[in-house]
Amino acid sequence: MDAILNLLSESQTIVVMIFVTTTELLGIASAWHAINKVRTSQAAVAWAVGLVAMPILVLPLYWVFGQKRFAGYRDAIRQVGEQHQASVEAVHRELMTERNIGSATDESPLDILADVLDTPLSYNNTFQLLINGEAFFSTLLEQIRSARNYIYIEFYIIRDDDIGREFAEALCKRAQAGVTVRLLYDEIGCAKLTKTWLRRVHDAGVDVLAFNTRQGWANRFQLNFRNHRKLVVIDGQRAIVGGLNVGDEYLGRISWAPRWRDTAIHVDGAVARKIQAVFASDYYWATRQNLPEAVWSTTAEARVISGDQYGMAAVCATGPADDRMRATMMFATIASCARKRLWISSPYLVPDDSCITALSMARARGIDVRILIPEKADAWLVFLAGFYYEQQLESLGIPVYRYYSEGFMHQKCVLADDNLVLIGSTNLDNRSLHLNFELMLAVADPDLVQEAAQMLEQDFAVSDNMNSSHGRLRPWYIRVGTIVARLFSPVL
């Protein structure tokens, strides 16, 4: 610093000194903010040390990547509620039960999960498992064309490619036929979506808009948050939830992944209203407006036969606006409820300490805990970090399998015993656990659970258990990259 100052004029020196002093003061203030606001003590200490020692470098990184709380989301819902109280009350009724009050009548895993997440159960639904892109897009387009009153859709990624244009055409036709069509997309996930595509659907009458995480002065640095949900609601009666976005790659139409392994679920029944409530909450944030066409039934759902699990489901909507770590609580609850097996399929493996502890406790009880991740990478930092956690889990006796069948494995699925399956958008990584708005559908229907179990058995059959000996055989640059990538795991 002294050498640099010697080369500057007196006025330049003063400017530099003011800048350095201001940056140092901002670094100290931000370090205090980190100590008070960052969720884990380890991360708080790391940020505080960096902000004090290297404020010029760390300060912008902290305000973009260090935030774990999404500001303003609940305020937006309250703002809409001031003018549309009945609608917002309906959303709360569909999504939330009374906090810290056990309401479950049984001790099934689904009942316990619903209690932990303060989310209500839904009965008398029917389900269809959608395995891979062909089944997903066929059902998606069919459901859009069948809509009579309104369509709500939310995707993280939409492409202007062959399937993206077919998707747009279906939306345009329903909008032109007088159906209300509302589409939310994530502005980061859809950064490559063309203006031509957006103009086409907008001109046809589709209410299309970005989720817009950076609304308001207080949210200007919220670049690191994502709306990762994928959902479709048709007339408040039918819905689709899963891990697929809209793009040709999800049909295996890309060279590096000629087969895209993914899963979604189609539901017909009352739980569709709860998925609709998730969309409504996000729409309130994005627009500060109501959904006047939405149908909210207040008729109580009856349980046909006591103890009957057919058609039971619960919506697990989590995100950075939560005041609890509900995504982590979801995984931990399922791990504690498992009695025989706990199988998890996730394209990314960057679990937090709480998830690792819950999984290791389940394994210590003799549960068949296993995790399936892809062999190929679509995000290199996350992929490399996964090697570290793979070895850590192996040391705890939890095998990690890599999907070796041709293509890429992208599904997010959790199976507990023979009585509960979760399918949706939540990965087993820090971003899904703490930074993304996510959605999983938990289903206790025996037929669907059995079908999902058979699906996972086939996936594991074409996978390889990569134990620690494989790790020692990896090239040195992969091992070094794994160590470096692990340092970035809090923001991956």
Side-chain angles (χ1 to χ4, degrees), residues 318-354:
T318 62
D322 297 340
D323 55 5
R324 309 193 210 191
M325 296 190 297
R326 295 175 72 247
T328 297
M329 292 165 64
M330 177 183 71
F331 280 104
T333 300
I334 300 167
S336 67
C337 290
R339 293 295 176 264
K340 295 181 180 180
R341 65 178 172 184
L342 176 62
W343 294 356
I344 299 175
S345 174
S346 171
Y348 312 116
L349 183 63
V350 190
D352 61 15
D353 291 342
S354 297

Side-chain angles (χ1 to χ4, degrees), residues 51-83:
L51 287 164
V52 173
M54 299 178 293
I56 294 177
L57 174 63
V58 179
L59 195 62
L61 295 176
Y62 172 70
W63 286 105
V64 173
F65 298 109
Q67 307 306 302
K68 293 292 182 70
R69 296 289 187 187
F70 187 86
Y73 188 84
R74 293 171 182 247
D75 293 335
I77 296 176
R78 281 193 291 268
Q79 181 179 335
V80 175
E82 292 175 359
Q83 295 180 330

Side-chain angles (χ1 to χ4, degrees), residues 234-465:
I234 307 295
D235 297 332
Q237 300 174 354
R238 303 178 301 283
I240 301 173
V241 171
L244 297 94
N245 292 291
V246 177
D248 283 347
E249 65 263 43
Y250 298 90
L251 285 163
R253 297 175 181 173
I254 52 176
S255 58
W256 68 270
R259 182 173 184 268
W260 191 280
R261 178 69 191 87
D262 221 325
T263 304
I265 183 170
H266 172 259
V267 58
D268 188 337
V271 76
R273 291 200 311 271
K274 303 186 187 308
I275 299 169
Q276 174 175 281
V278 176
F279 177 90
S281 298
D282 291 345
Y283 190 82
Y284 294 161
W285 159 261
T287 66
R288 302 302 197 275
Q289 295 179 12
N290 187 33
L291 296 169
E293 69 284 341
V295 176
W296 303 102
S297 173
T298 58
T299 304
E301 295 177 33
R303 194 168 186 173
V304 179
I305 302 174
S306 178
D308 183 15
Q309 288 189 321
Y310 282 90
M312 288 179 60
V315 167
C316 305
T318 62
D322 297 340
D323 55 5
R324 309 193 210 191
M325 296 190 297
R326 295 175 72 247
T328 297
M329 292 165 64
M330 177 183 71
F331 280 104
T333 300
I334 300 167
S336 67
C337 290
R339 293 295 176 264
K340 295 181 180 180
R341 65 178 172 184
L342 176 62
W343 294 356
I344 299 175
S345 174
S346 171
Y348 312 116
L349 183 63
V350 190
D352 61 15
D353 291 342
S354 297
C355 283
I356 293 175
T357 299
L359 294 175
S360 63
M361 291 175 65
R363 185 68 191 95
R365 292 187 287 116
I367 308 302
D368 174 17
V369 181
R370 62 178 78 172
I371 298 173
L372 178 65
I373 60 176
E375 169 58 19
K376 293 186 176 181
D378 71 333
W380 271 100
L381 267 181
V382 186
F383 182 73
L384 290 173
F387 287 123
Y388 171 84
Y389 293 99
E390 174 186 334
Q391 294 176 14
Q392 183 179 6
L393 290 167
E394 290 281 1
S395 70
L396 298 171
I398 300 173
V400 176
Y401 292 78
R402 288 190 174 267
Y403 186 79
Y404 267 97
S405 184
E406 185 180 23
F408 180 67
M409 197 285 298
H410 187 254
Q411 72 172 340
K412 307 92 165 53
C413 181
V414 182
L415 175 71
D417 300 330
D418 297 318
N419 48 28
L420 181 65
V421 64
L422 285 82
I423 294 172
S425 66
T426 309
N427 300 310
L428 188 57
D429 68 352
N430 181 77
R431 177 162 291 281
S432 279
L433 295 174
H434 301 295
L435 298 173
N436 288 348
F437 289 89
E438 302 284 6
L439 177 62
M440 296 287 275
L441 185 63
V443 180
D445 183 83
D447 292 340
L448 184 80
V449 173
Q450 182 180 9
E451 188 178 356
Q454 293 172 350
M455 174 188 73
L456 289 176
E457 286 171 355
Q458 294 174 5
D459 291 336
F460 280 113
V462 293
S463 304
D464 185 22
N465 180 11

Side-chain angles (χ1 to χ4, degrees), residues 181-288:
V181 182
R182 304 190 191 275
L183 171 63
L184 283 176
Y185 63 91
D186 183 87
E187 60 270 31
I188 302 299
C190 292
K192 297 181 179 179
L193 183 60
T194 66
K195 293 181 179 180
T196 301
W197 193 98
L198 291 170
R199 190 182 308 112
R200 175 188 179 188
V201 296
H202 177 269
D203 291 346
V206 176
D207 178 22
V208 54
L209 64 157
F211 180 69
N212 194 7
T213 59
R214 300 181 63 208
Q215 284 189 74
W217 186 88
N219 305 317
R220 63 199 183 282
F221 296 121
Q222 292 188 156
L223 296 172
N224 200 33
F225 296 111
R226 307 280 188 275
N227 190 321
H228 194 242
R229 291 167 177 162
K230 297 97 173 168
L231 66 88
V232 180
V233 178
I234 307 295
D235 297 332
Q237 300 174 354
R238 303 178 301 283
I240 301 173
V241 171
L244 297 94
N245 292 291
V246 177
D248 283 347
E249 65 263 43
Y250 298 90
L251 285 163
R253 297 175 181 173
I254 52 176
S255 58
W256 68 270
R259 182 173 184 268
W260 191 280
R261 178 69 191 87
D262 221 325
T263 304
I265 183 170
H266 172 259
V267 58
D268 188 337
V271 76
R273 291 200 311 271
K274 303 186 187 308
I275 299 169
Q276 174 175 281
V278 176
F279 177 90
S281 298
D282 291 345
Y283 190 82
Y284 294 161
W285 159 261
T287 66
R288 302 302 197 275

